[in-house]
Amino acid sequence: MSCPVPCAAWVRRGVAKETPDKVQLSEEELKGLIEEAQDRLGDGAGGSDEGQTADDTNAPVPGSSTKSSQNNEEMSDHELDEYDLDNYDEEGYTGDLKLGDSLATLAVYGSNENDPYITLKTTEQYEQEDFLIKPSDNLVLCGRVDKDCCSLEVHVYNHEEDSFYVHHDIILPAYPLSLEWLNFDPSPDESTGNYVAVGNMTPVIDIWDLDVVESLEPVFSLGGKKEKKKKKKGKKSLSSEGTVEGHTDAVLDLSWNKQSRNVLASASADNTVILWDMAVGKPATSLTLHTDKVQTLQFHPFETQTLVSGSFDKSAVLYDCRNPQDSHRVWRFSGQVERVIWNHFSPCHFLASTDDGFVYCLDARAEKPLFTLKAHDEEVSGLQLSSQIKGCLVTSSADKYVKIWDILGDRPSLVHSRDMKMGVLFCAACCPDFPFVFAFGGERDGLRVWDISKISAVNEVFGNRERLILASASSVASSSTASSSSNDLETAMES
């Protein structure tokens, strides 16, 4: 059975708690959850009476039903006479082997400790080891869609031990569309945490604690239907549009600002981009420069104020979030924009992919693209640069292929191509600690992790290439681009 994985994300090593907490509900809390669930189910009880009346109208006439049922019973009894079911249990067994003879040589031990044939006496030790998260473990997150429910799966990946397994999962209220890891904790002590923001088919963004197992509800949510209802009751004079805080349609993508940690950007099918202040749980500003669904967005890795977004209106918009309506730049493409990513090796450059199979490399200071690449036959749904290897680009597509490119010097060349046998591919994500390890999600076979360094062609091209040192990259890049690109963002240009 196919279980699509529409979104995936990585968590860096050493972030997760070694022993995650387990939710333990008291009787009062459990009782409260049951009552709340009953109240929710009670909202749809009005339709049950209609269903009962409908069933009554379709009920047969009593007199005719009894006659027909009696005739059916007489016919069925007559047809079963040939099988002689009354004497079925009296038939003797014709074989010579008896049950006692077959069990005579079997020995039964009181416990597994005394049984010499059982080498694995207990599984508790192995279960405890799997529950612990080592400092050398990465977490891989994916939204999984089953037939009956949607869930967030938390996988443990250890590169040295070559281990990969599901640690725990979280039941989600709706179809997941995007995942974004963040460490911002809204509590007053300003401590860092281990959270993931989930965008789904509803306008609500849920933030879950990854260090808590068996959690039933998110730590907090951004936007919500409950708030709308309360405001409508309290302020009857206001229109419905004025009472909405947040999105009004599905949340398609999320991006967390690593410099200003309380800011989260969301892209929605309602044609808007919202910048959220997670410290207060409310929108800080709404960006309305797109005219169709906003499919993708990403904050600049080093500049706090810079954001780029892509839309179904075949455009990408670069914002200076200090004054986004007046200070922005627009690029037009041949197809709908599927993904946008910043090049953390060249901070003035970003890449955009479209639904007609193209990948564009753009300079934030120029109108024309640096290069245009026909990467796939169908939409490019995954667009990822290696976390540490300069020029290593990986793309995934609805044409079922993953391709590895060398884009060093703005001259892209194909290094390797592979059919992943996962059907249509929906997403790709690069491990932050291992530059050649990527995770992919598709329409079947769940989540797959692939170490592309095992391919000879990849080693020939990227094996000796210099790696990015993450500790010093941010300081160097921020200082080099602060003066060059900030002035260009002050002017509004369209191309």
Side-chain angles (χ1 to χ4, degrees), residues 171 346 469:
I171 302 300
S346 302
I469 302 175

Side-chain angles (χ1 to χ4, degrees), residues 204-207 218-223 227 281:
V204 182
I205 303 169
D206 292 327
I207 288 82
V219 179
F220 63 95
S221 298
L222 302 174
E227 294 182 0

Side-chain angles (χ1 to χ4, degrees), residues 5 41 53 110 182 200 204 252 255 258 274 293 306-307 403 424 489 494:
V5 173
L41 293 174
T53 55
L182 51 94
N200 54 48
V204 182
L252 304 181
S255 181
K258 297 177 176 60
I274 289 183
K293 299 179 181 66
T306 307
L307 175 73
K403 295 184 179 181
V424 175
L489 296 175
E494 291 190 4

Side-chain angles (χ1 to χ4, degrees), residues 170-445:
I170 299 171
I171 302 300
L172 297 177
Y175 193 106
L177 297 173
S178 58
L179 302 176
E180 180 74 354
W181 180 84
L182 51 94
N183 67 8
F184 175 76
D185 193 333
S187 59
D189 58 0
E190 296 184 356
S191 61
T192 59
N194 182 23
Y195 303 101
V196 61
V198 181
N200 54 48
M201 284 291 190
T202 73
V204 182
I205 303 169
D206 292 327
I207 288 82
W208 298 85
D209 192 342
L210 296 174
D211 290 333
V212 177
V213 178
E214 299 176 358
S215 56
L216 300 177
E217 55 186 6
V219 179
F220 63 95
S221 298
L222 302 174
K225 299 177 181 178
K226 293 183 179 179
E227 294 182 0
K228 298 178 194 176
K229 292 181 180 178
K230 289 180 181 178
K231 289 184 178 181
K232 286 179 182 178
K233 291 181 181 179
K235 300 181 180 180
K236 296 182 180 179
S237 61
L238 293 178
S239 63
S240 59
E241 294 180 358
T243 60
V244 176
E245 279 200 358
H247 291 295
T248 58
D249 208 335
V251 178
L252 304 181
D253 200 13
L254 298 166
S255 181
W256 174 55
N257 195 315
K258 297 177 176 60
Q259 279 71 40
S260 184
R261 294 173 45 247
N262 63 310
V263 177
L264 180 72
S266 59
S268 174
D270 63 6
N271 306 351
T272 66
V273 172
I274 289 183
L275 304 182
W276 298 87
D277 184 356
M278 292 186 289
V280 296
K282 294 183 178 180
T285 186
S286 180
L287 311 179
T288 58
L289 296 178
H290 287 292
T291 59
D292 205 340
K293 299 179 181 66
V294 186
Q295 170 85 342
T296 176
L297 80 171
Q298 191 178 70
F299 272 113
H300 195 280
F302 312 122
E303 296 179 0
T304 306
Q305 76 280 1
T306 307
L307 175 73
V308 64
S309 64
S311 170
F312 279 28
D313 62 9
K314 300 182 180 181
S315 74
V317 180
L318 179 68
Y319 310 86
D320 183 342
C321 294
R322 296 170 295 189
N323 188 13
Q325 296 297 331
D326 297 331
S327 188
H328 64 272
R329 172 172 284 173
V330 181
W331 289 265
R332 303 290 178 184
F333 304 101
S334 59
Q336 300 173 355
V337 181
E338 294 289 330
R339 289 285 182 269
V340 291
I341 58 167
W342 286 99
N343 188 342
H344 44 275
F345 304 100
S346 302
C348 292
H349 299 168
F350 70 93
L351 294 103
S353 66
T354 58
D355 68 338
D356 54 357
F358 284 93
V359 173
Y360 299 85
C361 181
L362 299 130
D363 191 324
R365 303 160 297 184
E367 298 181 7
K368 296 182 179 180
L370 299 176
F371 68 78
T372 301
L373 170 66
K374 177 60 175 177
H376 292 270
D377 295 330
E378 298 185 39
E379 65 184 56
V380 183
S381 55
L383 186 68
Q384 284 286 303
L385 286 167
S386 171
S387 58
Q388 300 175 26
I389 305 298
K390 188 175 182 179
C392 181
L393 174 67
V394 174
T395 59
S396 63
S397 171
D399 64 9
K400 307 177 183 179
Y401 277 85
V402 168
K403 295 184 179 181
I404 304 167
W405 306 87
D406 182 12
I407 62 170
L408 193 64
D410 298 330
R411 295 179 179 179
S413 60
L414 181 63
V415 178
H416 183 75
S417 177
R418 174 178 292 185
D419 185 352
M420 298 297 288
K421 308 296 184 182
M422 299 171 64
V424 175
L425 296 172
F426 297 131
C427 59
C430 180
C431 178
D433 298 296
F434 299 98
F436 292 117
V437 177
F438 291 80
F440 301 94
E443 65 178 341
R444 61 174 182 266
D445 293 342

Side-chain angles (χ1 to χ4, degrees), residues 87-101:
N87 299 323
Y88 181 78
D89 295 333
E90 298 179 2
E91 293 181 1
Y93 181 66
T94 57
D96 297 328
L97 183 63
K98 296 182 180 180
L99 183 62
D101 296 336

